Amino acid sequence: MNAITPNAPALPAPVGLLAELTHRCPLRCPYCSNPLELDRRSGELDTATWQRVLTEAAALGVLHVHLSGGEPTARNDIVEITQTCAKLGLYSNLITSGVGGALAKLDALYDVGLDHVQLSVQGVDAANAEKIGGLKNAQPQKFAFAERVTQLGLPLTLNSVIHRGNIHEVEGFIDLAVKLGAKRLEVAHTQYYGWAYVNRAALMPNKADVDRSIRIVEAARERLKGQLVIDLVVPDYYAKYPKACAGGWGRKLMNVTPAGKVLPCHAAETIKQLEFWYVTDHSLGDIWANSPAFTAYRGTDWMQEPCRSCDRREKDWGGCRCQALALAGDAAATDPACSLSPLHAKVRDLATEEAAETPPDYTYRTIGSNVQPNVRSPLNEEVSL
Ligand code: FES
């Protein structure tokens, strides 16, 4: 299926496929990681193309498919697409806001073999949650959705993206996950790409609150052992080492956009010099092995110092390429989240300053908004992505 040369070292198969079925979404979260230029409905792949992509994914060795968006249940064919996953033996995870038409489709999704549900919650207090998500009456819809998920016996994960507007609710998110019968909770500090990057000054928490949130999670993990698993994503700007973004570039994940563009990570389109291939022109296997976007930062050959000689280079793979571009102006630089980056102290200072200022209003996620980001950079320049 792919065009790897016979003597090349074997390329491991991707483990996961993030299928961004649509960018349409009833919520307008200011931390959304989708690109600023959202795909319109008219440009979305049709059902047959998604089914062909899923068939190619299974043949390539993909195990998990994350049905995502936007709001994936906004697609009229979400049941057919989920059924295709089940028929192909792909583990399907529905990443949903739980609002709009999600509940009405849930039983049908269960009937065709949906494996797992990941439900987003924006806050614990309804008024706060609905302010962040930009949709009134969302909270009761989410709770009704969660109740039906557990009634059906589907495993439920709650996803809470943490920022300045809800960091005081971390304990509440943990109690909520227990109350709703979730098996897993993601306490994911905001990663500043896409809309979150535009809204960074409104979202950045201070270090004392971040440290407190980490202590709360660590205590709850002990207390709730065997009942609730809590995943913690720590905030990059205050970190010591970067995360292995997407499990390392071109190593584990493929991300297909609503229009069929295939990305090594969800924010990769911000790296304008990369050439991305589409599922409408190439097979998934060909893209995984040969797409210039996937080969650009795969492995370690592309690395500069201090990554090149670092003994962590095959642990964190240099961190995040998109963040390196946004903060250091070079996608091949060491991610400034790393304490070994020459920009690390400036990035931390920038976060501290933003967190101490009065937060600006949110710029809500909208299709066709034409928003122009105006975000401070540690290079003392304004960076537009
Ligand atoms: Fe693109 Fe991290 S978001 S590499």
Side-chain angles (χ1 to χ4, degrees), residues 100-135:
L103 180 57
K105 292 179 181 170
L106 183 56
D107 281 41
L109 292 168
Y110 172 76
D111 288 342
V112 298
L114 178 67
D115 290 302
H116 182 271
V117 174
Q118 180 181 316
L119 173 66
S120 69
V121 275
Q122 282 63 38
V124 179
D125 171 70
N128 191 40
E130 291 170 12
K131 180 187 170 206
I132 295 165
L135 181 72

PDB file of all heavy atoms in Angstrom, residues 100-135:
ATOM      1  N   GLY A 100     -26.795  19.740  21.370  1.00  0.00           N
ATOM      2  CA  GLY A 100     -27.386  19.684  20.028  1.00  0.00           C
ATOM      3  C   GLY A 100     -28.054  18.336  19.831  1.00  0.00           C
ATOM      4  O   GLY A 100     -28.773  17.847  20.697  1.00  0.00           O
ATOM      5  N   GLY A 101     -27.755  17.672  18.730  1.00  0.00           N
ATOM      6  CA  GLY A 101     -28.416  16.390  18.431  1.00  0.00           C
ATOM      7  C   GLY A 101     -27.684  15.176  18.984  1.00  0.00           C
ATOM      8  O   GLY A 101     -28.032  14.035  18.639  1.00  0.00           O
ATOM      9  N   ALA A 102     -26.702  15.373  19.865  1.00  0.00           N
ATOM     10  CA  ALA A 102     -25.868  14.241  20.305  1.00  0.00           C
ATOM     11  C   ALA A 102     -26.689  13.163  21.018  1.00  0.00           C
ATOM     12  O   ALA A 102     -26.566  11.969  20.715  1.00  0.00           O
ATOM     13  CB  ALA A 102     -24.746  14.752  21.213  1.00  0.00           C
ATOM     14  N   LEU A 103     -27.550  13.584  21.960  1.00  0.00           N
ATOM     15  CA  LEU A 103     -28.306  12.595  22.741  1.00  0.00           C
ATOM     16  C   LEU A 103     -29.259  11.798  21.842  1.00  0.00           C
ATOM     17  O   LEU A 103     -29.400  10.586  22.001  1.00  0.00           O
ATOM     18  CB  LEU A 103     -29.084  13.313  23.856  1.00  0.00           C
ATOM     19  CG  LEU A 103     -29.928  12.421  24.764  1.00  0.00           C
ATOM     20  CD1 LEU A 103     -29.080  11.337  25.429  1.00  0.00           C
ATOM     21  CD2 LEU A 103     -30.637  13.262  25.843  1.00  0.00           C
ATOM     22  N   ALA A 104     -29.871  12.483  20.882  1.00  0.00           N
ATOM     23  CA  ALA A 104     -30.830  11.806  20.004  1.00  0.00           C
ATOM     24  C   ALA A 104     -30.157  10.705  19.172  1.00  0.00           C
ATOM     25  O   ALA A 104     -30.818   9.762  18.739  1.00  0.00           O
ATOM     26  CB  ALA A 104     -31.487  12.830  19.081  1.00  0.00           C
ATOM     27  N   LYS A 105     -28.862  10.806  18.951  1.00  0.00           N
ATOM     28  CA  LYS A 105     -28.168   9.805  18.126  1.00  0.00           C
ATOM     29  C   LYS A 105     -27.449   8.745  18.947  1.00  0.00           C
ATOM     30  O   LYS A 105     -26.924   7.783  18.399  1.00  0.00           O
ATOM     31  CB  LYS A 105     -27.153  10.515  17.218  1.00  0.00           C
ATOM     32  CG  LYS A 105     -27.834  11.377  16.155  1.00  0.00           C
ATOM     33  CD  LYS A 105     -26.847  12.098  15.269  1.00  0.00           C
ATOM     34  CE  LYS A 105     -27.616  12.946  14.247  1.00  0.00           C
ATOM     35  NZ  LYS A 105     -26.776  13.850  13.505  1.00  0.00           N
ATOM     36  N   LEU A 106     -27.397   8.931  20.256  1.00  0.00           N
ATOM     37  CA  LEU A 106     -26.543   8.085  21.089  1.00  0.00           C
ATOM     38  C   LEU A 106     -26.948   6.608  21.056  1.00  0.00           C
ATOM     39  O   LEU A 106     -26.089   5.730  20.914  1.00  0.00           O
ATOM     40  CB  LEU A 106     -26.535   8.625  22.530  1.00  0.00           C
ATOM     41  CG  LEU A 106     -25.635   7.900  23.516  1.00  0.00           C
ATOM     42  CD1 LEU A 106     -24.188   7.859  23.048  1.00  0.00           C
ATOM     43  CD2 LEU A 106     -25.716   8.578  24.892  1.00  0.00           C
ATOM     44  N   ASP A 107     -28.234   6.317  21.173  1.00  0.00           N
ATOM     45  CA  ASP A 107     -28.641   4.907  21.193  1.00  0.00           C
ATOM     46  C   ASP A 107     -28.290   4.210  19.881  1.00  0.00           C
ATOM     47  O   ASP A 107     -27.847   3.054  19.881  1.00  0.00           O
ATOM     48  CB  ASP A 107     -30.154   4.785  21.472  1.00  0.00           C
ATOM     49  CG  ASP A 107     -30.465   4.964  22.954  1.00  0.00           C
ATOM     50  OD1 ASP A 107     -29.855   5.867  23.583  1.00  0.00           O
ATOM     51  OD2 ASP A 107     -31.290   4.200  23.493  1.00  0.00           O
ATOM     52  N   ALA A 108     -28.471   4.932  18.778  1.00  0.00           N
ATOM     53  CA  ALA A 108     -28.143   4.337  17.470  1.00  0.00           C
ATOM     54  C   ALA A 108     -26.636   4.085  17.368  1.00  0.00           C
ATOM     55  O   ALA A 108     -26.200   3.053  16.814  1.00  0.00           O
ATOM     56  CB  ALA A 108     -28.610   5.256  16.347  1.00  0.00           C
ATOM     57  N   LEU A 109     -25.853   4.984  17.918  1.00  0.00           N
ATOM     58  CA  LEU A 109     -24.392   4.799  17.901  1.00  0.00           C
ATOM     59  C   LEU A 109     -24.003   3.577  18.727  1.00  0.00           C
ATOM     60  O   LEU A 109     -23.147   2.779  18.341  1.00  0.00           O
ATOM     61  CB  LEU A 109     -23.694   6.056  18.431  1.00  0.00           C
ATOM     62  CG  LEU A 109     -23.805   7.293  17.531  1.00  0.00           C
ATOM     63  CD1 LEU A 109     -23.346   8.550  18.265  1.00  0.00           C
ATOM     64  CD2 LEU A 109     -22.981   7.098  16.263  1.00  0.00           C
ATOM     65  N   TYR A 110     -24.664   3.443  19.861  1.00  0.00           N
ATOM     66  CA  TYR A 110     -24.404   2.271  20.716  1.00  0.00           C
ATOM     67  C   TYR A 110     -24.780   0.985  19.963  1.00  0.00           C
ATOM     68  O   TYR A 110     -24.029   0.009  19.957  1.00  0.00           O
ATOM     69  CB  TYR A 110     -25.222   2.408  22.001  1.00  0.00           C
ATOM     70  CG  TYR A 110     -25.203   1.184  22.871  1.00  0.00           C
ATOM     71  CD1 TYR A 110     -24.085   0.887  23.638  1.00  0.00           C
ATOM     72  CD2 TYR A 110     -26.305   0.327  22.908  1.00  0.00           C
ATOM     73  CE1 TYR A 110     -24.056  -0.257  24.439  1.00  0.00           C
ATOM     74  CE2 TYR A 110     -26.278  -0.812  23.698  1.00  0.00           C
ATOM     75  CZ  TYR A 110     -25.157  -1.093  24.453  1.00  0.00           C
ATOM     76  OH  TYR A 110     -25.132  -2.221  25.228  1.00  0.00           O
ATOM     77  N   ASP A 111     -25.929   1.024  19.299  1.00  0.00           N
ATOM     78  CA  ASP A 111     -26.414  -0.173  18.604  1.00  0.00           C
ATOM     79  C   ASP A 111     -25.461  -0.641  17.498  1.00  0.00           C
ATOM     80  O   ASP A 111     -25.372  -1.832  17.226  1.00  0.00           O
ATOM     81  CB  ASP A 111     -27.805   0.091  17.987  1.00  0.00           C
ATOM     82  CG  ASP A 111     -28.894   0.183  19.058  1.00  0.00           C
ATOM     83  OD1 ASP A 111     -28.652  -0.274  20.193  1.00  0.00           O
ATOM     84  OD2 ASP A 111     -29.977   0.738  18.755  1.00  0.00           O
ATOM     85  N   VAL A 112     -24.783   0.300  16.860  1.00  0.00           N
ATOM     86  CA  VAL A 112     -23.877  -0.121  15.769  1.00  0.00           C
ATOM     87  C   VAL A 112     -22.462  -0.402  16.269  1.00  0.00           C
ATOM     88  O   VAL A 112     -21.573  -0.714  15.479  1.00  0.00           O
ATOM     89  CB  VAL A 112     -23.833   0.895  14.600  1.00  0.00           C
ATOM     90  CG1 VAL A 112     -25.207   1.032  13.949  1.00  0.00           C
ATOM     91  CG2 VAL A 112     -23.286   2.258  15.049  1.00  0.00           C
ATOM     92  N   GLY A 113     -22.228  -0.267  17.577  1.00  0.00           N
ATOM     93  CA  GLY A 113     -20.942  -0.736  18.100  1.00  0.00           C
ATOM     94  C   GLY A 113     -19.973   0.328  18.564  1.00  0.00           C
ATOM     95  O   GLY A 113     -18.768   0.055  18.666  1.00  0.00           O
ATOM     96  N   LEU A 114     -20.475   1.550  18.868  1.00  0.00           N
ATOM     97  CA  LEU A 114     -19.570   2.562  19.435  1.00  0.00           C
ATOM     98  C   LEU A 114     -18.909   1.994  20.702  1.00  0.00           C
ATOM     99  O   LEU A 114     -19.563   1.364  21.520  1.00  0.00           O
ATOM    100  CB  LEU A 114     -20.364   3.834  19.785  1.00  0.00           C
ATOM    101  CG  LEU A 114     -19.561   4.964  20.444  1.00  0.00           C
ATOM    102  CD1 LEU A 114     -18.542   5.551  19.463  1.00  0.00           C
ATOM    103  CD2 LEU A 114     -20.486   6.065  20.957  1.00  0.00           C
ATOM    104  N   ASP A 115     -17.594   2.236  20.843  1.00  0.00           N
ATOM    105  CA  ASP A 115     -16.857   1.643  21.962  1.00  0.00           C
ATOM    106  C   ASP A 115     -16.708   2.556  23.172  1.00  0.00           C
ATOM    107  O   ASP A 115     -16.599   2.071  24.290  1.00  0.00           O
ATOM    108  CB  ASP A 115     -15.441   1.260  21.491  1.00  0.00           C
ATOM    109  CG  ASP A 115     -15.475   0.089  20.531  1.00  0.00           C
ATOM    110  OD1 ASP A 115     -15.993  -0.966  20.923  1.00  0.00           O
ATOM    111  OD2 ASP A 115     -15.007   0.234  19.382  1.00  0.00           O
ATOM    112  N   HIS A 116     -16.622   3.872  22.965  1.00  0.00           N
ATOM    113  CA  HIS A 116     -16.223   4.756  24.065  1.00  0.00           C
ATOM    114  C   HIS A 116     -16.722   6.170  23.793  1.00  0.00           C
ATOM    115  O   HIS A 116     -16.812   6.575  22.624  1.00  0.00           O
ATOM    116  CB  HIS A 116     -14.682   4.753  24.167  1.00  0.00           C
ATOM    117  CG  HIS A 116     -14.148   5.594  25.283  1.00  0.00           C
ATOM    118  ND1 HIS A 116     -13.843   6.933  25.126  1.00  0.00           N
ATOM    119  CD2 HIS A 116     -13.857   5.298  26.570  1.00  0.00           C
ATOM    120  CE1 HIS A 116     -13.390   7.411  26.277  1.00  0.00           C
ATOM    121  NE2 HIS A 116     -13.393   6.450  27.169  1.00  0.00           N
ATOM    122  N   VAL A 117     -17.010   6.906  24.872  1.00  0.00           N
ATOM    123  CA  VAL A 117     -17.442   8.298  24.726  1.00  0.00           C
ATOM    124  C   VAL A 117     -16.543   9.203  25.561  1.00  0.00           C
ATOM    125  O   VAL A 117     -16.291   8.924  26.737  1.00  0.00           O
ATOM    126  CB  VAL A 117     -18.907   8.483  25.185  1.00  0.00           C
ATOM    127  CG1 VAL A 117     -19.291   9.965  25.169  1.00  0.00           C
ATOM    128  CG2 VAL A 117     -19.850   7.688  24.299  1.00  0.00           C
ATOM    129  N   GLN A 118     -16.078  10.257  24.926  1.00  0.00           N
ATOM    130  CA  GLN A 118     -15.351  11.319  25.647  1.00  0.00           C
ATOM    131  C   GLN A 118     -16.172  12.595  25.554  1.00  0.00           C
ATOM    132  O   GLN A 118     -16.396  13.133  24.473  1.00  0.00           O
ATOM    133  CB  GLN A 118     -13.968  11.523  25.020  1.00  0.00           C
ATOM    134  CG  GLN A 118     -13.184  12.610  25.728  1.00  0.00           C
ATOM    135  CD  GLN A 118     -11.827  12.826  25.094  1.00  0.00           C
ATOM    136  OE1 GLN A 118     -11.127  11.871  24.768  1.00  0.00           O
ATOM    137  NE2 GLN A 118     -11.463  14.080  24.882  1.00  0.00           N
ATOM    138  N   LEU A 119     -16.644  13.029  26.723  1.00  0.00           N
ATOM    139  CA  LEU A 119     -17.553  14.171  26.781  1.00  0.00           C
ATOM    140  C   LEU A 119     -16.814  15.391  27.342  1.00  0.00           C
ATOM    141  O   LEU A 119     -16.203  15.304  28.404  1.00  0.00           O
ATOM    142  CB  LEU A 119     -18.735  13.803  27.695  1.00  0.00           C
ATOM    143  CG  LEU A 119     -19.729  14.908  28.037  1.00  0.00           C
ATOM    144  CD1 LEU A 119     -20.501  15.361  26.803  1.00  0.00           C
ATOM    145  CD2 LEU A 119     -20.713  14.417  29.122  1.00  0.00           C
ATOM    146  N   SER A 120     -16.931  16.519  26.648  1.00  0.00           N
ATOM    147  CA  SER A 120     -16.280  17.733  27.150  1.00  0.00           C
ATOM    148  C   SER A 120     -17.171  18.406  28.191  1.00  0.00           C
ATOM    149  O   SER A 120     -18.393  18.420  28.063  1.00  0.00           O
ATOM    150  CB  SER A 120     -16.015  18.704  25.994  1.00  0.00           C
ATOM    151  OG  SER A 120     -17.238  19.215  25.498  1.00  0.00           O
ATOM    152  N   VAL A 121     -16.530  18.935  29.240  1.00  0.00           N
ATOM    153  CA  VAL A 121     -17.248  19.788  30.200  1.00  0.00           C
ATOM    154  C   VAL A 121     -16.414  21.057  30.365  1.00  0.00           C
ATOM    155  O   VAL A 121     -15.210  20.999  30.600  1.00  0.00           O
ATOM    156  CB  VAL A 121     -17.475  19.100  31.568  1.00  0.00           C
ATOM    157  CG1 VAL A 121     -18.722  18.254  31.553  1.00  0.00           C
ATOM    158  CG2 VAL A 121     -16.280  18.285  32.004  1.00  0.00           C
ATOM    159  N   GLN A 122     -17.072  22.195  30.214  1.00  0.00           N
ATOM    160  CA  GLN A 122     -16.337  23.468  30.213  1.00  0.00           C
ATOM    161  C   GLN A 122     -16.164  24.035  31.620  1.00  0.00           C
ATOM    162  O   GLN A 122     -15.276  24.841  31.854  1.00  0.00           O
ATOM    163  CB  GLN A 122     -17.059  24.486  29.313  1.00  0.00           C
ATOM    164  CG  GLN A 122     -16.836  24.284  27.834  1.00  0.00           C
ATOM    165  CD  GLN A 122     -17.367  22.968  27.298  1.00  0.00           C
ATOM    166  OE1 GLN A 122     -18.429  22.497  27.716  1.00  0.00           O
ATOM    167  NE2 GLN A 122     -16.639  22.366  26.383  1.00  0.00           N
ATOM    168  N   GLY A 123     -17.062  23.655  32.519  1.00  0.00           N
ATOM    169  CA  GLY A 123     -16.995  24.156  33.884  1.00  0.00           C
ATOM    170  C   GLY A 123     -17.895  23.302  34.757  1.00  0.00           C
ATOM    171  O   GLY A 123     -18.609  22.411  34.233  1.00  0.00           O
ATOM    172  N   VAL A 124     -17.882  23.576  36.053  1.00  0.00           N
ATOM    173  CA  VAL A 124     -18.747  22.831  36.969  1.00  0.00           C
ATOM    174  C   VAL A 124     -20.009  23.660  37.221  1.00  0.00           C
ATOM    175  O   VAL A 124     -21.126  23.188  37.031  1.00  0.00           O
ATOM    176  CB  VAL A 124     -18.002  22.520  38.284  1.00  0.00           C
ATOM    177  CG1 VAL A 124     -18.917  21.774  39.252  1.00  0.00           C
ATOM    178  CG2 VAL A 124     -16.747  21.704  37.982  1.00  0.00           C
ATOM    179  N   ASP A 125     -19.819  24.899  37.615  1.00  0.00           N
ATOM    180  CA  ASP A 125     -20.941  25.823  37.765  1.00  0.00           C
ATOM    181  C   ASP A 125     -21.544  26.080  36.372  1.00  0.00           C
ATOM    182  O   ASP A 125     -20.814  26.405  35.424  1.00  0.00           O
ATOM    183  CB  ASP A 125     -20.412  27.127  38.370  1.00  0.00           C
ATOM    184  CG  ASP A 125     -21.462  28.210  38.355  1.00  0.00           C
ATOM    185  OD1 ASP A 125     -22.429  28.086  39.116  1.00  0.00           O
ATOM    186  OD2 ASP A 125     -21.318  29.160  37.556  1.00  0.00           O
ATOM    187  N   ALA A 126     -22.868  25.910  36.260  1.00  0.00           N
ATOM    188  CA  ALA A 126     -23.494  25.967  34.926  1.00  0.00           C
ATOM    189  C   ALA A 126     -23.270  27.315  34.242  1.00  0.00           C
ATOM    190  O   ALA A 126     -22.957  27.370  33.048  1.00  0.00           O
ATOM    191  CB  ALA A 126     -24.986  25.662  35.037  1.00  0.00           C
ATOM    192  N   ALA A 127     -23.421  28.401  35.017  1.00  0.00           N
ATOM    193  CA  ALA A 127     -23.288  29.727  34.401  1.00  0.00           C
ATOM    194  C   ALA A 127     -21.861  29.927  33.873  1.00  0.00           C
ATOM    195  O   ALA A 127     -21.651  30.441  32.760  1.00  0.00           O
ATOM    196  CB  ALA A 127     -23.633  30.810  35.406  1.00  0.00           C
ATOM    197  N   ASN A 128     -20.890  29.477  34.642  1.00  0.00           N
ATOM    198  CA  ASN A 128     -19.491  29.614  34.209  1.00  0.00           C
ATOM    199  C   ASN A 128     -19.227  28.736  32.981  1.00  0.00           C
ATOM    200  O   ASN A 128     -18.624  29.172  31.994  1.00  0.00           O
ATOM    201  CB  ASN A 128     -18.554  29.217  35.368  1.00  0.00           C
ATOM    202  CG  ASN A 128     -17.119  29.599  35.070  1.00  0.00           C
ATOM    203  OD1 ASN A 128     -16.852  30.675  34.521  1.00  0.00           O
ATOM    204  ND2 ASN A 128     -16.175  28.738  35.414  1.00  0.00           N
ATOM    205  N   ALA A 129     -19.706  27.496  33.036  1.00  0.00           N
ATOM    206  CA  ALA A 129     -19.495  26.560  31.923  1.00  0.00           C
ATOM    207  C   ALA A 129     -20.103  27.112  30.635  1.00  0.00           C
ATOM    208  O   ALA A 129     -19.501  27.045  29.554  1.00  0.00           O
ATOM    209  CB  ALA A 129     -20.110  25.207  32.259  1.00  0.00           C
ATOM    210  N   GLU A 130     -21.311  27.670  30.757  1.00  0.00           N
ATOM    211  CA  GLU A 130     -22.015  28.133  29.562  1.00  0.00           C
ATOM    212  C   GLU A 130     -21.409  29.434  29.028  1.00  0.00           C
ATOM    213  O   GLU A 130     -21.464  29.709  27.831  1.00  0.00           O
ATOM    214  CB  GLU A 130     -23.513  28.249  29.862  1.00  0.00           C
ATOM    215  CG  GLU A 130     -24.109  26.850  30.062  1.00  0.00           C
ATOM    216  CD  GLU A 130     -25.528  26.815  30.606  1.00  0.00           C
ATOM    217  OE1 GLU A 130     -26.182  27.876  30.635  1.00  0.00           O
ATOM    218  OE2 GLU A 130     -25.988  25.717  30.994  1.00  0.00           O
ATOM    219  N   LYS A 131     -20.789  30.202  29.915  1.00  0.00           N
ATOM    220  CA  LYS A 131     -20.067  31.395  29.447  1.00  0.00           C
ATOM    221  C   LYS A 131     -18.839  30.960  28.637  1.00  0.00           C
ATOM    222  O   LYS A 131     -18.551  31.486  27.558  1.00  0.00           O
ATOM    223  CB  LYS A 131     -19.634  32.239  30.645  1.00  0.00           C
ATOM    224  CG  LYS A 131     -18.878  33.474  30.211  1.00  0.00           C
ATOM    225  CD  LYS A 131     -18.283  34.237  31.362  1.00  0.00           C
ATOM    226  CE  LYS A 131     -17.352  35.311  30.789  1.00  0.00           C
ATOM    227  NZ  LYS A 131     -16.304  35.700  31.673  1.00  0.00           N
ATOM    228  N   ILE A 132     -18.121  29.965  29.145  1.00  0.00           N
ATOM    229  CA  ILE A 132     -16.899  29.520  28.455  1.00  0.00           C
ATOM    230  C   ILE A 132     -17.258  28.881  27.103  1.00  0.00           C
ATOM    231  O   ILE A 132     -16.637  29.174  26.083  1.00  0.00           O
ATOM    232  CB  ILE A 132     -16.112  28.522  29.348  1.00  0.00           C
ATOM    233  CG1 ILE A 132     -15.604  29.246  30.607  1.00  0.00           C
ATOM    234  CG2 ILE A 132     -14.954  27.900  28.579  1.00  0.00           C
ATOM    235  CD1 ILE A 132     -15.139  28.314  31.713  1.00  0.00           C
ATOM    236  N   GLY A 133     -18.263  28.016  27.104  1.00  0.00           N
ATOM    237  CA  GLY A 133     -18.638  27.331  25.863  1.00  0.00           C
ATOM    238  C   GLY A 133     -19.429  28.207  24.906  1.00  0.00           C
ATOM    239  O   GLY A 133     -19.612  27.848  23.738  1.00  0.00           O
ATOM    240  N   GLY A 134     -19.926  29.336  25.402  1.00  0.00           N
ATOM    241  CA  GLY A 134     -20.661  30.251  24.532  1.00  0.00           C
ATOM    242  C   GLY A 134     -22.018  29.726  24.108  1.00  0.00           C
ATOM    243  O   GLY A 134     -22.517  30.091  23.040  1.00  0.00           O
ATOM    244  N   LEU A 135     -22.627  28.852  24.951  1.00  0.00           N
ATOM    245  CA  LEU A 135     -23.949  28.316  24.602  1.00  0.00           C
ATOM    246  C   LEU A 135     -24.795  28.180  25.867  1.00  0.00           C
ATOM    247  O   LEU A 135     -24.432  27.444  26.790  1.00  0.00           O
ATOM    248  CB  LEU A 135     -23.811  26.934  23.939  1.00  0.00           C
ATOM    249  CG  LEU A 135     -25.132  26.290  23.509  1.00  0.00           C
ATOM    250  CD1 LEU A 135     -25.733  27.001  22.290  1.00  0.00           C
ATOM    251  CD2 LEU A 135     -24.947  24.802  23.197  1.00  0.00           C
TER     252      LEU A 135
END
